[in-house]
């Protein structure tokens, strides 16, 4: 099965994230674009226009996949970032670099035009640099086939997707002439030379030298010695041939794919592959479990970190190597644990306030709760459970009363002693059940928060505490509501806290991994959430 390993994020676009990736089993690194499906028409457009293009100044398309929420494109990796960032960083580029960039841009655009494509909306952010500094056109989402109306193409994609299309040709054509105009200005030092002007099309064609050196080579020292070579000798199947669409003349530059059509009826096979392997249900895109090393370390320069027990052996050569290996395997952030619940860096939540006057139980403070007699504590718990379980009454007043109680629980759940007592009490399964039974989502959101706070502040979990059931409930709810980003943002933190609680409690035991079962589905759904992301968290104003 083909798998891709995802490494770090290298860029973000509108509703898309770009990762560095690698096909498992190969050493070819690629860029993997994970795009929201709402961009399907633009992505499909990009694919239909680029899947046949192989040119050094165009980012190569390899393949594409589809998962439930995203489209995934595997394309050429350009490690140099965008031309926009180079311009921003350097502010002023040297004339030699400008000349070299211009050659790449003209070569690429010329190839694109000859392929019958109008790039459209050309900006430096859409031009990428590979390692040696070659410029490449990267984003054809808003490009179009010459003469076509892009809106109509988008409409056809939508119709295809919804099954409403008739597959007919896009008939409305506008003749767009988006052509390269390069003058014979001395600045170009003969790199470009005008060879042809078509009277019929009133466009100017350029040829240029292809033998100018790559970045770092002074163009001016070479350009005077080079003879301009025609760009059309470079593309696959390229060359000057008879003209499509009526124009004549043996030297007329024409579409290099004269028989090629970008119409939708040619696209029935142009569909993303499903990214779930049918037999193994395994995902094609896997997150790299090893963080990308941030810097290399030498044996003479061991990393600055807290020593581990096994490090106390003599500082032998082997030990130096083990330092290096550990530094490559772990990063500081692997060992740092950040609370998830109510962490303002993750999600800003308004402080919860309850109204003690209308509270359906006595509004004990945490201090008072810690010294309640066991009888009073039992009575208090009983009241909490029966108030939450009262199902019959779904009036506004009853819902408000439940919300008030849950706000009170949020307050007392943020203290370790109360959290520990409450999570190990009969209240915990009642709260878990409320994730399904509560009268509305407002109440459910609050129940999630109480559960998350209990998990994050609890310091001792009893063996019989039904955390597995809670993990299963959260897992099911995330699965059922996978497309609902807001809901997922409320479900994930308590699930994370529960898993962390289980992990830390297991760690304290003699035989870790035996007490509280975490179903494989919980890991699967969590990994899927991490992989596929979602909308950024919004400020919660409750
Ligand atoms: C493919 C489409 C990107 C970015 C460009 C969304 C970078 C910063 C440093 C180093 C590399 C990159 C980089 N490299 C890429 N190689 N291949 C791609 C994505 C081509 N990309 C970006 N940002 C994009 N072009 C189109 N959408 C993009 C992000 N930053």
């Amino acid at each position: 099965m083909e798998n891709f390993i995802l490494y770090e994020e290298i860029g973000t676009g509108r509703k898309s994230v770009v990762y560095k990736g690698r096909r498992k089993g190969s050493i070819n690194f690629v860029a993997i674009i994970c795009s929201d499906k709402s961009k399907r028409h633009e992505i499909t457009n990009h694919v239909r226009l680029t899947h046949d293009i192989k040119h050094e100044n165009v980012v190569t398309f390899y393949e594409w996949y589809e998962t439930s929420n995203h489209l995934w494109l595997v394309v050429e990796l350009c490690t140099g970032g965008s031309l926009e960032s180079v311009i921003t960083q350097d502010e002023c580029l040297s004339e030699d670099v400008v000349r070299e960039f211009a050659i790449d841009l003209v070569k690429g655009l010329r190839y694109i035009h000859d392929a019958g494509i109008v790039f459209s909306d050309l900006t430096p952010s859409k031009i990428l640099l590979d390692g040696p500094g070659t410029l490449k056109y990267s984003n054809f989402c808003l490009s179009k086939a010459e003469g076509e109306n892009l809106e109509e193409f988008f409409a056809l994609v939508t119709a295809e997707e919804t099954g409403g299309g008739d597959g007919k040709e896009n008939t409305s054509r506008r003749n767009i002439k988006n052509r390269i105009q390069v003058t014979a200005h001395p600045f170009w030092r003969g790199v470009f030379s005008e060879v042809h002007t078509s009277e019929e099309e009133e466009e100017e064609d350029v040829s240029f030298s292809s033998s100018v050196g790559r970045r770092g080579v002074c163009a001016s020292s070479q350009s005077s010695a080079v003879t301009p070579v025609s760009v059309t000798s470079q593309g696959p199947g390229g060359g000057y041939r008879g003209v499509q669409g009526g124009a004549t003349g043996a030297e007329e530059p024409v579409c290099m794919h004269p028989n090629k059509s970008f119409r939708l009826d040619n696209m029935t096979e142009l569909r993303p592959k499903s990214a779930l392997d049918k037999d193994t249900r395994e995902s094609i895109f896997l997150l790299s479990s090893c963080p990308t090393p941030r810097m290399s370390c030498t044996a003479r320069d061991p990393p600055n970190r807290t020593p581990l027990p096994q490090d106390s052996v003599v500082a032998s050569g082997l030990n130096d190597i083990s330092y290096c290996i550990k530094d490559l395997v772990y990063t500081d952030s692997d060992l740092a644990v950040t609370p998830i619940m109510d962490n303002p860096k993750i999600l800003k939540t308004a402080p919860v306030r309850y109204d003690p006057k209308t509270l359906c139980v006595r509004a004990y403070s945490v201090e008072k709760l810690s010294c309640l007699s066991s009888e009073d504590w039992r009575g208090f718990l009983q009241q909490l459970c029966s108030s939450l379980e009262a199902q019959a009454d779904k009036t506004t007043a009853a819902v408000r009363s439940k919300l008030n109680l849950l706000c009170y629980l949020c307050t007392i759940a943020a203290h370790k002693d109360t959290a520990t007592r409450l999570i190990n009490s009969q209240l915990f399964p009642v709260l878990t059940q409320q994730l399904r039974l509560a009268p509305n989502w407002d109440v459910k959101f609050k129940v999630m928060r109480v559960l998350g706070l209990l998990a994050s502040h609890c310091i001792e979990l009893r063996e019989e505490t039904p955390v597995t059931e809670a993990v299963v409930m959260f897992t099911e709810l995330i699965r059922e509501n996978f497309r609902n980003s807001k809901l997922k943002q409320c479900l994930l933190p308590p699930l994370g806290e529960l898993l962390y609680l289980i992990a830390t409690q297991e760690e304290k035991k003699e035989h870790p991994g035996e007490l509280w079962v975490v179903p494989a589905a919980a890991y699967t759904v969590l990994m899927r959430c991490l992989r596929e992301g979602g909308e950024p968290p919004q400020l919660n104003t409750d």
Side-chain angles (χ1 to χ4, degrees), residues 479-526:
R479 273 182 159 178
E480 288 162 23
N481 300 283
F482 202 79
R483 281 158 197 266
N484 185 334
S485 312
K486 182 175 188 296
L487 199 52
K488 252 188 342 187
Q489 277 160 25
C490 297
L491 287 163
L492 274 169
L495 176 60
E497 291 290 4
L498 280 168
L499 294 180
Y500 180 69
L501 174 66
I502 292 172
T504 48
Q505 293 293 309
E506 289 277 10
E507 221 171 34
K508 290 203 279 185
K509 305 286 174 199
E510 207 179 330
H511 301 289
E514 286 182 357
L515 286 181
W516 302 282
V517 177
V518 175
Y523 293 112
T524 311
V525 90
L526 203 61

Side-chain angles (χ1 to χ4, degrees), residues 10-13 18 31 33 59 75-81 125 128 138-139:
I10 53 175
T12 49
V18 184
I33 309 170
V59 169
V75 300
E76 182 180 350
L77 175 68
C78 298
T79 52
S125 64
L128 298 178
S138 78
N139 185 334

Side-chain angles (χ1 to χ4, degrees), residues 335-381:
L335 306 170
V337 179
T338 315
I340 319 170
M341 286 307 297
D342 282 3
N343 183 341
K345 282 188 189 157
I346 301 171
L347 187 70
K348 275 205 179 110
T349 43
V352 276
R353 285 200 194 84
Y354 65 93
D355 178 8
K357 289 197 209 87
T358 54
L359 197 64
C360 53
V361 295
R362 272 192 65 181
Y364 290 122
S365 66
V366 278
E367 291 78 21
K368 181 80 184 136
L369 280 173
S370 65
C371 52
L372 276 192
S373 70
S374 23
E375 196 183 328
D376 286 347
W377 174 253
R378 269 201 305 276
F380 175 71
L381 279 179

Side-chain angles (χ1 to χ4, degrees), residues 145-191:
E146 214 172 311
E148 97 182 338
N149 177 338
L150 193 58
E151 283 74 40
E152 283 186 15
F153 172 77
F154 284 172
L156 278 173
V157 174
T158 311
E160 259 260 311
E161 196 189 346
T162 53
D166 57 7
K168 276 196 191 136
E169 184 184 352
N170 172 7
T171 47
S172 159
R173 285 168 177 267
R174 275 186 293 146
N175 262 332
I176 298 158
K177 293 274 183 284
N178 194 44
R179 285 288 174 177
I180 316 163
Q181 304 258 331
V182 182
T183 63
H185 193 278
F187 174 81
W188 298 114
R189 295 188 177 161
V191 164

Side-chain angles (χ1 to χ4, degrees), residues 18 215 268 407:
V18 184
R215 309 286 99 86
T268 38
C407 284

